[in-house]
Amino acid sequence: ALLAVAACGDSSLTLTEYAEWLEAEVLEMNRSLNSLQVELESNPRTVETERAFLNGRVSVRNDFIATFEDLQWPDSLDEFRDVALGVIRRLAAAEQALADEAAEAQTIEEIRALWENSEQLRAWREADADALAMCEAAQAEFDTTQERAALEGTVWLPPEMKEVVRVALVCSSDDAG
């Protein structure tokens, strides 16, 4: 219901344009995170490589948040925007906490302990699960617009009431570390 209401908003962007922007940004963030993971796995695991990995993830998340905040959202999407930003900020804060702990680590064993069962890892996993749930809910909302395809030939309905959004947000759990 959150996204369906956006079709009636007063923004200059359509629901489809917002969805396409979100799809592209999520895809870019995921590519960047995957690239960091590949780089980590292709090098010997050292304190330095682990720190660089975590700091890179924090940077990617913060860039996504800044872009997300800069977008001019229609009023009808305020609730979605606030929930999404809250979840993404929690995920970024959890990754920052892992990076901060890694910055204090003197040995690779201390870093490994972070990845095994630390409080920071538990907070990160919880935030990641919430981000996945939010992404899946957003995708489900976009998918509900597919039902509007039957209205495409109806001339008396305004275009925004007939808008069909086709995006794939690629929601998946993040397997950091």
Side-chain angles (χ1 to χ4, degrees):
L2 295 176
L3 299 174
V5 177
C8 300
D10 57 1
S11 172
S12 59
L13 292 180
T14 66
L15 180 59
T16 297
E17 290 167 330
Y18 278 102
E20 288 171 348
W21 171 88
L22 185 59
E23 178 183 37
E25 290 300 318
V26 168
L27 184 61
E28 179 59 33
M29 178 180 61
N30 288 340
R31 282 184 185 145
S32 296
L33 294 172
N34 290 340
S35 176
L36 290 168
Q37 187 74 36
V38 167
E39 186 175 328
L40 176 69
E41 292 171 0
S42 64
N43 290 301
R45 303 284 286 253
T46 66
V47 172
E48 292 77 24
T49 59
E50 294 283 339
R51 286 178 182 159
F53 170 72
L54 287 166
N55 288 330
R57 290 182 65 86
V58 168
S59 178
V60 168
R61 295 281 188 212
N62 287 336
D63 288 349
F64 180 80
I65 290 168
T67 302
F68 201 87
E69 289 173 330
D70 287 346
L71 187 65
Q72 296 300 310
W73 293 82
D75 293 342
S76 60
L77 284 179
D78 281 350
E79 183 181 353
F80 170 74
R81 178 185 183 273
D82 293 346
V83 168
L85 271 173
V87 169
I88 296 164
R89 285 180 179 142
R90 274 191 35 240
L91 188 55
E95 285 183 331
Q96 182 65 62
L98 282 167
D100 291 346
E101 283 296 314
E104 299 295 320
Q106 300 300 313
T107 66
I108 193 63
E109 289 75 23
E110 291 177 79
I111 299 273
R112 286 187 181 129
L114 275 175
W115 289 120
E116 289 174 5
N117 195 23
S118 67
E119 179 181 321
Q120 295 83 357
L121 180 64
R122 284 189 296 281
W124 176 83
R125 283 186 174 147
E126 183 179 305
D128 185 54
D130 290 347
L132 177 60
M134 178 204 55
C135 183
E136 290 171 344
Q139 183 67 59
E141 288 291 331
F142 288 132
D143 290 347
T144 63
T145 68
Q146 301 298 314
E147 299 165 5
R148 297 180 191 166
L151 303 174
E152 286 180 329
T154 311
V155 294
W156 54 269
L157 278 176
E160 63 271 10
M161 297 286 293
K162 298 183 278 187
E163 187 171 8
V164 176
V165 180
R166 292 179 177 93
V167 295
L169 295 179
V170 189
C171 303
S172 63
S173 182
D174 197 349
D175 294 323

